[in-house]
Amino acid sequence: MPTKTITPTVIKARKGGPPIVCLTSYTAPMTKLVDPHADLILVGDSLAMTIYGMASTVGVTQEMMIAHGRAVVHAASRACVVVDLPFGSYEESPMQAFRTAASIMAETGCAAVKLEGGTVMAETIHFLTSRGVPVMAHIGLTPQSVNALGGYAVRGRSESEAAMIMADAEAVADAGAFSVVIEKTAEPLARAVTDRIIPPTIGIGASVACDGQILVVDDMIGFFTEFHPKFVRRYAEVAQSVEAAIASYAADVRTRRFPAQEHVFAGTIRERPLA
Ligand code: KIV
């Protein structure tokens, strides 16, 4: 497996530099399109919705993350590939987290893992980073906790919640995270966190002041259209073009306009006399 040119250490050193471009990807063909343009590719557990049609990320398994992580790592040649630790695979103890992270890294060849949680995960992040596992932290809205949070509302609007999120940011930074995703969090808070902590912040529904930005690629290209979060800018309407292409194919098959002469193969057959 070739070593990717952009490592977690390179990402960490980009604090305050040119914005870090991050996108999700879950498959080899998409990775080939993303890799030349992105600094970091996240094999996110958002694949629950984008690939598997689940209602939340809670049902994602380690096997799913390994299968998709492996496909992405094989197809990427440049970007730093990070794989999400799925819900239930790391929260119990630092040891459980290490076993999961080590197995995901060994089986996929990814450069780092991402896990959700702030202060409560600091001990685990320290345990992993001091044992050779680069960790991207994820604070603010943490979708794996949707059942505890009661939904996907913006985080950090009240003073008390903002103070908690700032403490989360400091805890994961001190624990050794090489970067910190801040999701769906009040803009002034995301900006203040970016000013305060040493590792680069990667925003999604956060602030243009973050050191980088990430989006779910399927949202950004208009392939996943079930909802349109406020923080997504649509750069294409892929679902519409795909649907139009499928409709044209179906019409061509039904009217025998497909296949045409150029799609079939020449040959000879010996006519058999009728008996
Ligand atoms: O799973 C995911 O795609 C993520 C990003 C939204 C940051 O965690």
Side-chain angles (χ1 to χ4, degrees), residues 24 26 42 44-46 84 114 116 138 181 183 204 214 216:
T24 66
Y26 322 99
L42 172 69
D45 61 358
S46 49
D84 258 338
K114 176 166 82 58
E116 297 185 8
H138 184 155
V181 169
E183 179 164 355
I204 171 162
I214 187 161
V216 168

Side-chain angles (χ1 to χ4, degrees), residues 18-88:
I20 303 164
V21 178
C22 312
L23 272 173
T24 66
S25 181
Y26 322 99
T27 63
M30 182 62 81
T31 300
K32 290 202 174 125
L33 300 175
V34 171
D35 186 58
H37 304 282
D39 301 308
L40 184 148
I41 297 176
L42 172 69
V43 186
D45 61 358
S46 49
L47 57 71
M49 287 77 103
T50 58
I51 304 273
Y52 292 98
M54 297 173 163
S56 80
T57 56
V58 172
V60 172
T61 65
Q62 208 170 307
E63 289 68 35
M64 288 174 180
M65 297 314 298
I66 288 173
H68 290 274
R70 196 179 274 156
V72 169
V73 170
H74 275 289
S77 56
R78 203 190 135 264
C80 180
V81 178
V82 178
V83 175
D84 258 338
L85 299 187
F87 178 65

Side-chain angles (χ1 to χ4, degrees), residues 182-257:
I182 308 177
E183 179 164 355
K184 208 169 177 192
T185 295
E187 198 277 337
L189 174 60
R191 187 178 282 272
V193 166
T194 302
D195 281 348
R196 179 79 62 89
I197 65 173
I198 290 171
T201 58
I202 309 297
I204 171 162
S207 171
V208 72
C210 287
D211 299 293
Q213 301 295 329
I214 187 161
L215 284 177
V216 168
V217 71
D218 301 59
D219 290 341
M220 190 273 278
I221 63 171
F223 194 44
F224 185 78
T225 54
E226 268 148 60
F227 53 86
H228 186 168
K230 173 180 160 68
F231 55 77
V232 173
R233 181 178 289 163
R234 284 253 181 94
Y235 288 86
E237 295 296 342
V238 167
Q240 280 173 21
S241 340
V242 171
E243 224 230 307
I246 293 168
S248 302
Y249 165 74
D252 284 354
V253 169
R254 290 191 178 109
T255 55
R256 297 194 189 282
R257 285 196 305 261

Side-chain angles (χ1 to χ4, degrees), residues 73-160:
V73 170
H74 275 289
S77 56
R78 203 190 135 264
C80 180
V81 178
V82 178
V83 175
D84 258 338
L85 299 187
F87 178 65
S89 74
Y90 64 94
E91 299 89 334
E92 218 171 284
S93 68
M95 283 73 79
Q96 185 208 21
F98 183 81
R99 278 192 296 275
T100 305
S103 144
I104 287 183
M105 289 179 81
E107 299 216 31
T108 65
C110 68
V113 297
K114 176 166 82 58
L115 58 82
E116 297 185 8
T119 311
V120 76
M121 279 297 139
E123 186 194 349
T124 294
I125 294 173
H126 177 70
F127 192 89
L128 296 182
T129 53
S130 54
R131 286 164 177 77
V133 179
V135 176
M136 180 179 224
H138 184 155
I139 61 168
L141 175 67
T142 47
Q144 291 178 1
S145 304
V146 60
N147 293 308
L149 295 170
Y152 296 103
V154 179
R155 308 296 317 282
R157 277 186 163 148
S158 70
E159 254 178 53
S160 59

